[in-house]
């Protein structure tokens, strides 16, 4: 089995860069746990959709996978260095942690967590 993280990150980047909140939400499980830049964690596809709908158009993301792991045939995860570009803040580097689960023939994000990097 090839690791699913490169494919998921490619789809995530395409949805983020294209400002497509519906496509972004489809990458997540129905009960996904999500911690972006808001102070409180969120859960579920609708929360993910609302979060990304609020991101201003024109923002883009560059991601580089740092580490991946698998947990049997139905679960995997990893870490990536991501830099969000554009917007008033300029470049915002973060560490991204994902837990992925197999959903039929595809993989979805079950757990998403970003943390800002102060020195990169």
């Amino acid at each position: 089995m090839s690791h699913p993280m490169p494919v998921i990150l490619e789809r995530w980047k395409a949805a983020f860069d294209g400002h497509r909140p519906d496509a972004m939400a489809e990458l997540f499980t129905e009960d996904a746990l999500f911690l972006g830049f808001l102070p409180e964690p969120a859960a579920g596809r609708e929360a993910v959709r609302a979060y990304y709908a609020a991101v201003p158009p024109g923002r883009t993301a560059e991601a580089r996978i740092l580490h991946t792991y698998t947990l049997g045939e139905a679960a995997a995860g990893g870490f990536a260095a991501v830099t969000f570009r554009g917007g008033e803040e300029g470049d915002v580097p973060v560490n991204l942690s994902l837990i992925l689960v197999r959903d039929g023939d595809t993989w979805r994000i079950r757990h998403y967590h970003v943390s800002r990097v102060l020195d990169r």
Side-chain angles (χ1 to χ4, degrees):
M1 164 181 100
S2 63
H3 201 279
M5 192 150 164
V7 172
I8 289 290
L9 275 181
E10 181 180 314
R11 291 177 183 159
W12 175 86
K13 177 180 172 29
F16 185 87
D17 290 358
H19 192 65
R20 298 186 336 236
D22 290 337
M24 184 65 81
E26 284 301 314
L27 295 173
F28 289 78
T29 63
E30 287 287 344
D31 61 347
L33 299 175
F34 183 89
L35 183 58
F37 288 143
L38 298 178
E40 296 296 321
R45 273 192 193 146
E46 291 308 313
V48 170
R49 181 179 285 108
Y51 180 89
Y52 284 107
V55 173
R59 304 275 333 236
T60 61
E62 296 298 325
R64 180 175 49 90
I65 295 173
L66 301 174
H67 180 77
T68 62
Y69 60 90
T70 57
L71 300 168
E73 294 292 317
F79 303 105
V82 176
T83 301
F84 294 105
R85 301 192 188 287
E88 294 177 12
E89 290 182 80
D91 290 356
V92 179
V94 301
N95 288 318
L96 171 63
S97 173
L98 297 177
I99 298 174
L100 312 171
V101 294
R102 187 183 296 276
D103 182 11
D105 292 337
T106 192
W107 287 85
R108 296 196 191 278
I109 301 168
R110 172 67 177 88
H111 181 102
Y112 175 104
H113 179 239
V114 294
S115 58
R116 289 183 189 247
V117 175
L118 299 179
D119 284 324
R120 183 186 301 158

